[in-house]
């Protein structure tokens, strides 16, 4: 079986500084794959490199059997990769409804009303806040909106960069439960970047550890949770 997403030997630079030093990662259809790593390890850089900005200077990235290494970002998005970036980046002056409309419009989604109902089932809070401006939502609500907006594009692959960042444990649980439900009920494929290692590894079918721009460990989420090196570095007092 070929992977849905395959990252091979990817090196990414910011000027002369190398942020990714030859990264190999695979995500199969229907999987939740988690990437954990400390601040500055290169997690967000990998997510962004998959989306074509910054671009990989070496190595290759393929999606659904197609080499996307050199494609412009908007063409990569058209292949149904959706990203919920770190820091959320919703449209602050638009309402929740308009934000969701934007997500759907980008993808030419013709199932808007049905998908809207699905998002309300997933995140009932968004229904209550439908006409509130995005910028005035709480942090957790903004995160829900960012994920819902990405889902409105009906992605084949959902990229999530630290969805738990700055959120209370209960909200983190809601968001992770929502991801698990979508994966189970619809087979949604997810590549998740997290510092919240305990929950992310429990959610993941497989996981990778990124240290200083290099993958140092991989295995099932359960395997990594039990590795002493992971416990010491990422789970210390963690949960
Ligand atoms: N635009 C940029 N210009 C220069 N250096 C950058 C830029 N963006 C990131 N870096 C550097 O690249 C390295 C990897 O950063 P990255 O944001 O990918 O880390 P991260 O694993 O996502 O960290 P965090 O957990 O803090 O979000 C860091 O050393 C960072 O300072
Ligand atoms: Mg980051």
């Amino acid at each position: 079986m070929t992977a849905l997403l395959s990252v091979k030997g990817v090196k990414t630079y910011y000027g002369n500084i190398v942020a990714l030093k030859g990264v190999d990662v695979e995500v199969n259809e229907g999987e939740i794959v988690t990437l954990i790593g400390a601040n500055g390890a290169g997690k967000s850089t990998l997510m962004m490199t998959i989306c074509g900005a910054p671009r990989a200077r070496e190595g290759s990235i393929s999606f659904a059997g197609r080499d996307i290494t050199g494609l412009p970002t908007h063409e990569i998005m058209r292949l149904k990769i959706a990203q919920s970036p770190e820091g959320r980046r919703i449209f602050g002056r638009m309402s929740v409804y308009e934000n969701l409309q934007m997500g759907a419009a980008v993808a030419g989604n013709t199932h808007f009303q049905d998908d809207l109902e699905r998002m309300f089932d997933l995140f009932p809070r968004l229904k209550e806040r439908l006409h509130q401006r995005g910028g005035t939502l709480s942090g957790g609500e903004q995160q829900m909106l960012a994920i819902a907006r990405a889902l409105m594009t009906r992605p084949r692959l959902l990229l999530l960069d630290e969805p738990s960042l700055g959120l209370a444990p209960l909200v983190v649980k809601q968001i992770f439960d929502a991801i698990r439900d979508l994966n189970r009920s619809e087979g949604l494929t997810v590549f998740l970047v997290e510092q919240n290692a305990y929950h992310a590894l429990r959610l993941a079918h497989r996981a990778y550890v990124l240290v200083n721009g290099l993958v140092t460990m991989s295995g099932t989420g359960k395997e990594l949770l039990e590795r002493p090196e992971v416990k010491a570095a990422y789970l210390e007092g963690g949960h």
Side-chain angles (χ1 to χ4, degrees), residues 33-144:
V33 174
T34 291
L35 178 75
I36 60 170
N39 289 122
K43 304 182 300 298
S44 296
T45 301
L46 177 58
M47 284 266 156
M48 295 188 295
T49 303
I50 291 166
C51 298
R55 208 162 276 296
R57 200 179 287 182
E58 284 180 44
S60 67
I61 303 171
S62 71
F63 180 71
R66 175 169 174 191
D67 185 354
I68 61 167
T69 323
L71 284 189
T73 299
H74 66 274
E75 282 184 31
I76 294 172
M77 299 293 120
R78 214 182 290 152
L79 300 174
K80 298 220 160 276
I81 298 179
Q83 192 188 16
S84 176
E86 193 179 344
R88 301 167 197 135
R89 282 190 243 147
I90 53 160
F91 302 107
R93 301 178 65 174
M94 291 186 183
S95 70
V96 168
Y97 183 79
E98 288 164 336
N99 267 277
L100 294 173
Q101 258 183 333
M102 288 291 286
V106 166
N109 183 348
T110 51
H111 311 270
F112 180 70
Q113 210 55 45
D114 290 348
D115 284 358
L116 197 61
E117 291 300 329
R118 289 171 56 230
M119 294 308 126
F120 293 162
D121 290 343
L122 211 51
F123 300 119
R125 186 66 71 86
L126 293 182
K127 188 173 186 177
E128 295 163 22
R129 304 278 153 168
L130 198 57
H131 299 292
Q132 186 172 328
R133 279 189 183 198
T136 63
L137 295 174
S138 76
E141 291 163 352
Q142 290 192 26
Q143 190 58 264
M144 293 172 196

Side-chain angles (χ1 to χ4, degrees), residues 5-238:
L5 175 74
S6 170
V7 174
K8 289 205 177 100
V10 161
K11 296 188 183 175
T12 301
Y13 290 73
Y14 294 110
N16 292 325
I17 297 166
V18 57
L20 299 180
K21 299 172 180 168
V23 169
D24 297 299
V25 163
E26 285 195 339
V27 180
N28 296 308
E29 194 123 45
E31 270 187 320
I32 300 176
V33 174
T34 291
L35 178 75
I36 60 170
N39 289 122
K43 304 182 300 298
S44 296
T45 301
L46 177 58
M47 284 266 156
M48 295 188 295
T49 303
I50 291 166
C51 298
R55 208 162 276 296
R57 200 179 287 182
E58 284 180 44
S60 67
I61 303 171
S62 71
F63 180 71
R66 175 169 174 191
D67 185 354
I68 61 167
T69 323
L71 284 189
T73 299
H74 66 274
E75 282 184 31
I76 294 172
M77 299 293 120
R78 214 182 290 152
L79 300 174
K80 298 220 160 276
I81 298 179
Q83 192 188 16
S84 176
E86 193 179 344
R88 301 167 197 135
R89 282 190 243 147
I90 53 160
F91 302 107
R93 301 178 65 174
M94 291 186 183
S95 70
V96 168
Y97 183 79
E98 288 164 336
N99 267 277
L100 294 173
Q101 258 183 333
M102 288 291 286
V106 166
N109 183 348
T110 51
H111 311 270
F112 180 70
Q113 210 55 45
D114 290 348
D115 284 358
L116 197 61
E117 291 300 329
R118 289 171 56 230
M119 294 308 126
F120 293 162
D121 290 343
L122 211 51
F123 300 119
R125 186 66 71 86
L126 293 182
K127 188 173 186 177
E128 295 163 22
R129 304 278 153 168
L130 198 57
H131 299 292
Q132 186 172 328
R133 279 189 183 198
T136 63
L137 295 174
S138 76
E141 291 163 352
Q142 290 192 26
Q143 190 58 264
M144 293 172 196
L145 178 56
I147 295 170
R149 192 183 60 185
L151 287 171
M152 291 298 280
T153 69
R154 294 206 163 188
R156 268 188 88 177
L157 173 65
L158 177 64
L159 303 175
L160 294 172
D161 194 346
E162 302 214 35
S164 77
L165 192 69
L167 302 183
L170 194 65
V171 183
V172 173
K173 185 174 182 308
Q174 274 173 23
I175 287 177
F176 280 27
D177 284 350
I179 295 167
R180 183 183 280 117
D181 285 351
L182 281 170
N183 173 262
R184 287 198 181 145
S185 63
E186 299 174 21
L188 179 71
T189 308
V190 181
F191 185 43
L192 170 73
V193 162
E194 263 295 341
Q195 279 195 64
N196 193 334
Y198 177 71
H199 287 287
L201 290 177
R202 283 189 26 143
L203 181 69
H205 298 109
R206 289 189 308 110
Y208 296 87
V209 178
L210 190 69
V211 178
N212 276 327
L214 275 176
V215 170
T216 58
M217 265 182 266
S218 64
T220 66
K222 196 162 177 290
E223 278 163 6
L224 289 197
L225 268 173
E226 284 161 8
R227 293 278 278 269
E229 313 92 295
V230 172
K231 280 188 179 159
Y234 305 102
L235 299 173
E236 190 74 355

